Each structure stands twice: as structure tokens, then as C-alpha cells.
Amino acid sequence: MTPFSLGLRLVVRGSRATRVRFLLMVLGCALGVACLAAVLSIPAVLAAHDGRAAGRTAQKGPTSGALLLERKDPFGSRPLTRVFVAPPTRGTAPVPPGVERVPEPGEVVVSPALRELLAERPALKAALPGAIVGTIGPAGLTGPQELYAYVGRARAQLSAGEAEGVLGYGSRWVSPDEAAIDDGTVAPLRFTLCCLVLLPLFVYLSVCVRLSAEARSRRLAALRLLGLSARDTMRVSAVETLCAAVVGAVLGIGLHLLGNAFVAPTGWVGLAWYPADGSASAGTLAACLLGCPALAYLAGRRHAGEAALRPLAVRRQARPAEPRRWPAALLILPGLGIVTTYCVLGVLGVHVEPSALTSFLVPAGALLTGAGLVVALPPVTAWLAARVAATTQRLPLTLAMRSHETAPGAALRVVSGLVLLVYAASLTQGVLVEIDQVSRRTAPSQEYAVPFLEAPAEQRAAMAGTEGISGHAVVAEVASRDGEIVSATCAQLEKFVRPGTMRGCVDGRTLALHDPVAHPQDTRRPGSTHSVELRNAAGRAAGSARFTVPEETVTFSVAQPSHLSSAVLLVPPKALPPGLHFADAKLLLSGAPEPEAVRATLDRLAGIAPTAQIDPVGTVIESLRQLEAVKGLLGAGMVLGLVIGVAAFLVSAADRAMDRRRRTATLTLLGIRARTLRAAQCAQVLLPLGVGIGGALVAGRLAESSYLVTGGGAVFWDGEGLPLLLLSGLGVLLVAALAALPMARRHLDPAVLRRD
């Protein structure tokens, strides 16, 4: 019988426990490969998004050809793009990707998401003049949720100064506002996902392919003692491991495809894509179908080699060799050296500019530190267990420490996933802090400007009273164009300025306005007059109003940019006759500045006035979309890392308990109480886990601070996130302690004890 057939027979015709173990190995590898494929598909999704955006970029040409005018407006928190196309004077217009033909004047071609939105909001049709005659295909859209339209117009209907000639479509580069994620954010995102998912995934796959390592080593040692050669013994072990890994990899690819098809169009991670974009590429298939079996073979080779070369020692359970310390030193010392150096530079106040060198050293230092943290656990905890066992007088603690001292590598499989999870969580927190610095709006409020002509009085009243809006005012540009007039009460004006900066405001009086921060020189001109045209509710001219700048002045300070920075006059709302308003007036609204609040407020305002041009002052909708995508991907990575870490702990803890059944039964037969055994089991898990989490918190904070120091932001030390990490570490310890309690039972299995 060949080693291959013998290995297959042991897998297929083995005992029930063997088949269950093989099934668990397959399912564990499948979950790990699915997570790996999901992470590896993210660059392909981003590349497909940017590739289609570049493919529809217009190539400029002479104005005698087809004309094109692009308008991008925010519809809530989503950008709405309208491309107006006019036919050329002669010939045919180039056809954009995803469109069967260029719409004629009076025709509109829309994206599927925009067609659905038009069915829900018929008023939005006013922004798309013409009849809808087609739908844009996937080749012309960056994602299934994009709001995009091509509107056919006559050449005379397009502004000659704004419309541009177009020769064709397609470009090698994508504009920054259409990119899925900004180029400067891709590198830290990739680095964080590697630390958050790939490091725990490596540990998890190693755990899965080494399930019941002690029982399998004893079985291989028995085959070796029966006359099987050392090489054939290694091959028998490889057959079982590789079969589980290959079947698990194939199932994992299938799980990834199913999950990708379900999640892709939903936009749950802040980015929606077509399922074909996230399907497994050739590189992903190679990494999963070849890398997983290779990792499985390397992980199982050590124990198989020990059984093949020292079968008697394995059968008699001789004490394993002490763990080596030099691999941990080779990994952790360079990593800690790199991150500590940058932390010292931060303490000294040295500002390190982001560069190609820091982009390489900081991720390398973080990865080396994380890997060294795991490799250093066995020698460190074995030394600590020996010291504790020599000094303690408590039986549970003595049993736990002596057991861990003899086999520290077994506990490593149990706790390494959770340790890496805590370490990666600290790094992720640093990336979120850095992104928040870049995207954070320093203003105390967010302004929204809505032209009066685009929203009737009912809609303006509903906007002012909607959730998320704290204040409202009316602004209008004066005829001399040297400033703006604001119509509001003192309480309404206070909602737009920095807290505590407004002085001298009196309701019911016309007052001058001055911002000494924005205009250090006094720009007031008391006695000068400003004439403003008026309109009625129907938008028709209704005369004008003249206001004189008084001596009394309201001083205030606003954060830039703001419509109030150029305001010169405050007019009471009752100063105008009923039913009249300023010409070219805008309704100015104030809300919370946080990105989540801005997105929610924009969506509510768009629901009230679908066709109105709502301008979030100082905020770019594309930046909000990219920020949401980055946070969504990081959130998905944290969920995957959490699943992998918890799964690795549960699988390895259960496997460790099964390996210790004979030892537990022996101790029970000797009279050790179940309470003592549970306490020993709990202590044996908490010792390496506590040491590992403590090291992960310290190393993670150093790695996080080194990233912040080299990120170019103003924040070097993230003190606000430390309590959350400490609570997370304590929660992990508590869950691990509770999970270890049921592993020690009083039941005596004769089959386990008969060998002793």
C-alpha cells in the first residue's frame, strides 16, 4: 500500500473522531480562505471602479464637433452627475461607454439607480429635461448605486463658454473626485487590512491544519514503529493535511463568491461594486488554492517530522524541547527599534514628513513587531510559568504553570489569534485618527445654502424645521458686491458663529457686521447705503429696499469658509414687507459638522426639495463618499479580524481540551476535584493571554504612535482611544476565562485511561 492510499484510507475509513476532525479542518480552512479572498479582492474592486471612471472621461476636441457639458450636484449625500451632450455640426457624436447610442435632443439615458430614484422622487425629473429612452450599462458606471445621466440637448441650448468639444472617451488617468479612494489613503488602508486580517488569518490557518496535533502525532509514531519509513510517514501526514487544505480552499473560494454576490450591490462597506469586480482573480486563486495547502504542509511538517524521527518519545510523551528565543529576537527587536525611534522623534517634537522611506519602514516595523509578539510568547510565558510554579502554594496554579511550562507552544495556538486582534485594533485606531484629522471640519457648525428660486416657501420652511438643522438665516448679495446682507434674529445669527464670539447684537435693529479675524482692517463704512432688489413670492420684481450702515456693530467670528465672512449688514426679518424677499436670496441653514451628521442632513434636505441646489459650504460630497468607503472597508476588516480571532480561539481551545482529556482523566482519577481542574485550565489560558494582551497593548500603542508621527497630522498621541483598548483587553480576558471553564469535566472515559 502506497503512502498516498494509506493516508486517504486513514481519512476516509478512520474513526468517527478522525472524520469529525477532518471536517473541522476543512471548514476552518474554508472560513480562512474566504476571508483571505475577500481581502485580496479589495484592490481589484478599487481598480475596476477607477478603470470605468477613466474609461468614460471625455477627450477634448474642437468645438465644431460634439459638445459636452458636465454638471455635478449633490443629491443628499450622493453625487448626481448630469452630462449634457449636443450633436456635432457634421458626422456622428462619439458614443460613451455603457450607452448604445448618444441621446438626441429631448432624450435622456440614465443609470439604473437613477431610474429607481426617479420612480420614488418624480420631482427630480425636472433636472433631467427629456424622455428617458435607455439605461447606462455597467461599462459606463463606477458602481450599481451611481446616479449618472446623459441628457441630449441642442447646440444652442448649451452655454458656449462652458461646453467643450469632445473627440471620444477614455483616459489612462482618473480624476481625483471620481477615484474610489484617494491615492494617499490606499497605502495606509492596505497596510491596516494586512495587520488587521492577514496576521490573524495566518495564525488561524495554522491552528486549523494542526487540529488534534498530539493525537495525530501519536498515530504517526505508531505507524513509524510498525515499520513505516520516515519519508513515508511524512507523506501519510501530508496527505491528510493537504486533502483538508485543498477541499477547504475550494469551499472557501465558493463562500467568497457567494458573499461577494450578496454584499457587492448593497454598499454595506461604504462602497458598492458589481459582483464581477470582486470575483476571484488569477492571483487570488493562486494565493488561495496554492498558498493555503503550502501553509498547511509547512504547519504540519514539524509535528510529523518529530513523530517520524522520535516515535518512542512521542508515544511516551517525552517533554518537548524548550522553545527557542532567537527567532523572536530576530523579529521583534528590529520592529520595536523602528517604531520606538519614530516615537522618540515625536517626543522630541521632530516633525517627520511622509515619504517613501516612512511608507516602507512603518508598515515593516509594525508587521515585524506583531509577528515577533506571537513568536516571543512561548519562551516568555514558559519562563514566567516556571517562576510562578516555584513560588506558589496553590494547587490549581501549580498544575496550570507546570503544564504550561512543559508545552508552551500548545497555549500559543489558543491565545495568539486574540493577541493579534488586540494589536491590530490599536493600529486601526491610529489610522482612523489620522483619517479623522484629514477629514475633520474645524468649524463649530456646517452651513447649507439653498437658493430661494429653487425651493418654494413651503419647502424652505420644512428645511428650516427638519431634524439636524439648528439655525437658519437669509443672505443676499448687495448691489455694490462688497458684501452680503443677512436677515436673521440675534439667536439665529448665533447658531452660525463660534461660541462666545458674538458681541453687541440687539434684536429689532439694523446693525453693522464685522469679523475682526477674517478682516483685521475695519471694513465698516457707517453712513453708507446699500440698495437691494426685492421680489415677491412668485419671483417677480417688487421694487427695492435701501439700508444705511449704522454705527452700532455686531462683532463675531466664523470658521472659514462661510457665507457670513463677507456679511456687512444684519437686517431684522420684519424689516421687509410681508411676502417679499431679497432678490437672489439664499436660505442659509446650520447643522452639526460631523461627517455622519452632514450625510444624514443632506439626505433629509434632498427628500424635502429634490430639485433644489443644496450647497454644503466647505464640504465636498466626493470627499464624504471616499471617507465613508475608507471607514466602511476598515470596519469590514475589523469584523473579519474579529471573526478570525474568535474562531481561532474557540477552535484551538476546544482542540486543546480534547488533547488534554487523558491528562484530565488521570488527575480526576487521582482525586483532583473538578473545581480545581477548571481553575487550573482557566489559569493556563489566562497566563499567556494576559502576557500577550499586555504586550499587544504596549507594542500596539508604539506602532500606532509611530504611524501618527509619520502621517503628517497634528496628533501624535491618541490618548482618547486608550480606555477603549484597555476595556477591550479586559473583555477578551473575561471571555477567554469563561470559555475555558467547560473544558474540564469529571467524566472518566475508559478508552482514554486504558493505556495508563
Side-chain angles (χ1 to χ4, degrees):
M1 183 181 295
T2 63
F4 181 75
S5 60
L6 177 59
L8 286 180
R9 180 165 298 185
L10 290 175
V11 172
V12 178
R13 299 184 181 180
S15 63
R16 180 181 178 183
T18 301
R19 291 194 296 269
V20 171
R21 181 176 65 242
F22 180 79
L23 180 61
L24 290 176
M25 291 171 63
V26 169
L27 295 179
C29 290
L31 177 61
V33 169
C35 294
L36 176 62
V39 174
L40 294 180
S41 65
I42 292 177
V45 170
L46 300 180
H49 178 285
D50 295 348
R52 283 194 291 268
R56 70 186 182 195
T57 302
Q59 300 175 2
K60 297 181 181 180
T63 55
S64 59
L67 293 181
L68 181 144
L69 177 62
E70 183 175 304
R71 289 283 186 249
K72 286 190 176 182
D73 306 312
F75 181 81
S77 59
R78 302 164 65 185
L80 170 61
T81 304
R82 297 174 296 165
V83 180
F84 297 92
V85 183
T89 54
R90 64 179 62 182
T92 59
V95 180
V99 178
E100 295 182 357
R101 64 179 181 86
V102 179
E104 299 292 333
E107 296 179 343
V108 182
V109 180
V110 298
S111 64
L114 184 54
R115 182 185 287 270
E116 295 178 1
L117 186 62
L118 288 172
E120 299 175 1
R121 308 281 178 83
L124 187 59
K125 187 62 178 62
L128 302 169
I132 299 177
V133 297
T135 303
I136 305 175
L141 300 172
T142 59
Q145 294 185 354
E146 187 177 22
L147 304 180
Y148 208 89
Y150 290 98
V151 183
R153 304 291 281 173
R155 296 179 67 88
Q157 294 176 315
L158 297 184
S159 173
E162 297 183 9
E164 298 179 342
V166 56
L167 285 176
Y169 296 91
S171 174
R172 296 178 56 189
W173 311 103
V174 60
S175 59
D177 61 336
E178 288 197 342
I181 295 178
D182 184 72
D183 291 339
T185 313
V186 173
L189 177 64
R190 186 184 298 115
F191 153 67
T192 308
L193 289 177
C194 287
C195 295
L196 194 61
V197 179
L198 295 186
L199 277 179
L201 182 61
F202 179 84
V203 175
Y204 176 65
L205 291 176
S206 300
V207 168
C208 290
V209 300
R210 290 173 56 190
L211 283 175
S212 298
E214 184 177 345
R216 292 163 62 193
S217 297
R218 290 173 59 84
R219 187 182 60 187
L220 292 175
L223 293 175
R224 179 74 177 94
L225 292 174
L226 289 175
L228 200 65
S229 65
R231 179 177 298 179
D232 290 342
T233 303
M234 298 284 292
R235 291 174 178 174
V236 170
S237 174
V239 168
E240 181 182 12
T241 303
L242 290 178
C243 285
V246 171
V247 176
V250 174
L251 288 179
I253 293 295
L255 288 176
H256 163 67
L257 294 178
L258 290 176
N260 173 67
F262 179 73
V263 175
T266 62
W268 286 349
V269 298
L271 182 69
W273 65 92
Y274 294 102
D277 298 341
S279 60
S281 61
T284 301
L285 289 175
C288 295
L289 298 180
L290 298 179
C292 181
L295 176 62
Y297 175 76
L298 293 176
R301 182 178 177 85
R302 177 172 176 268
H303 284 273
E306 186 177 359
L309 299 177
R310 302 173 55 201
L312 285 176
V314 172
R315 293 296 298 179
R316 295 175 179 176
Q317 290 188 328
R319 179 173 178 175
E322 294 184 0
R324 299 176 180 178
R325 300 177 182 178
W326 61 267
L330 289 179
L331 289 174
I332 200 169
L333 290 181
L336 281 179
I338 293 173
V339 299
T340 305
T341 299
Y342 283 117
C343 290
V344 171
L345 292 177
V347 171
L348 297 178
V350 178
H351 187 74
V352 182
E353 293 291 339
S355 63
L357 181 61
T358 58
S359 299
F360 170 76
L361 287 180
V362 174
L367 291 175
L368 288 174
T369 303
L373 184 67
V374 173
V375 178
L377 277 179
V380 172
T381 55
W383 176 85
L384 183 60
R387 298 301 180 273
V388 174
T391 57
T392 185
Q393 300 295 326
R394 296 182 177 274
L395 180 58
L397 197 56
T398 302
L399 289 175
M401 296 301 102
R402 291 305 184 190
S403 178
H404 181 75
E405 182 185 0
T406 56
L412 172 64
R413 292 190 293 144
V414 178
V415 304
S416 54
L418 296 179
V419 170
L420 284 178
L421 181 62
V422 174
Y423 176 74
S426 182
L427 288 177
T428 305
Q429 198 172 53
V431 174
L432 291 175
V433 169
E434 186 66 28
I435 292 175
D436 184 61
Q437 289 187 78
V438 177
S439 60
R440 181 187 302 164
R441 179 171 169 83
T442 57
S445 63
Q446 170 66 52
E447 295 181 9
Y448 307 89
V450 185
F452 266 40
L453 296 178
E454 298 187 14
E458 297 81 5
Q459 292 183 351
R460 297 196 301 269
M463 289 182 179
T466 190
E467 181 183 356
I469 297 300
S470 58
H472 65 279
V474 177
V475 296
E477 191 172 299
V478 298
S480 58
R481 297 186 180 274
D482 58 354
E484 290 182 325
I485 291 180
V486 180
S487 176
T489 65
C490 293
Q492 292 172 346
L493 180 64
E494 194 172 8
K495 299 293 184 180
F496 294 88
V497 304
R498 296 184 185 275
T501 61
M502 193 170 72
R503 301 286 187 275
C505 188
V506 180
D507 280 324
R509 300 178 59 180
T510 300
L511 303 171
L513 293 175
H514 178 58
D515 185 351
V517 177
H519 305 285
Q521 297 180 353
D522 193 351
T523 57
R524 296 173 303 156
R525 288 181 295 174
S528 61
T529 59
H530 296 286
S531 178
V532 185
E533 296 181 359
L534 301 178
R535 296 186 184 274
N536 57 22
R540 298 187 181 93
S544 62
R546 186 176 297 275
F547 299 97
T548 302
V549 179
E551 290 284 349
E552 296 82 0
T553 303
V554 178
T555 59
F556 61 93
S557 176
V558 293
Q560 302 296 336
S562 171
H563 270 286
L564 298 183
S565 59
S566 59
V568 297
L569 200 62
L570 176 65
V571 177
K574 296 182 179 180
L576 297 180
L580 300 183
H581 60 79
F582 297 125
D584 299 327
K586 293 182 181 180
L587 175 65
L588 197 63
L589 305 171
S590 174
E594 291 77 14
E596 294 78 9
V598 172
R599 283 193 293 267
T601 303
L602 283 172
D603 288 338
R604 297 188 192 100
L605 296 179
I608 296 173
T611 59
Q613 174 71 32
I614 302 172
D615 177 26
V617 181
T619 298
V620 182
I621 298 299
E622 288 294 336
S623 299
L624 282 178
R625 181 190 60 79
Q626 292 188 10
L627 178 63
E628 183 181 6
V630 171
K631 290 187 175 180
L633 291 174
L634 287 177
M638 293 186 70
V639 171
L640 289 177
L642 178 63
V643 170
I644 293 170
V646 173
F649 171 75
L650 294 178
V651 169
S652 54
D655 178 57
R656 177 64 176 158
M658 293 179 64
D659 282 345
R660 298 181 70 253
R661 283 184 305 170
R662 187 162 61 90
R663 187 176 306 162
T664 301
T666 303
L667 293 174
T668 303
L669 187 63
L670 292 175
I672 304 298
R673 293 182 303 175
R675 182 187 303 175
T676 303
L677 292 177
R678 291 191 179 96
Q681 176 73 19
C682 185
Q684 191 174 350
V685 172
L686 290 182
L687 171 69
L689 185 59
V691 173
I693 288 181
L697 290 175
V698 175
R701 297 294 294 178
L702 291 175
E704 176 192 2
S705 299
S706 67
Y707 177 81
L708 293 176
V709 168
T710 59
V715 176
F716 283 5
W717 317 106
D718 174 30
E720 297 180 359
L722 184 58
L724 178 61
L725 284 177
L726 292 176
L727 290 177
S728 301
L730 293 176
V732 168
L733 288 173
L734 179 61
V735 171
L738 294 177
L741 293 179
M743 298 305 176
R745 299 184 301 173
R746 195 172 180 81
H747 176 67
L748 299 180
D749 188 355
V752 176
L753 289 171
R754 65 182 181 180
R755 295 188 183 91
D756 292 338

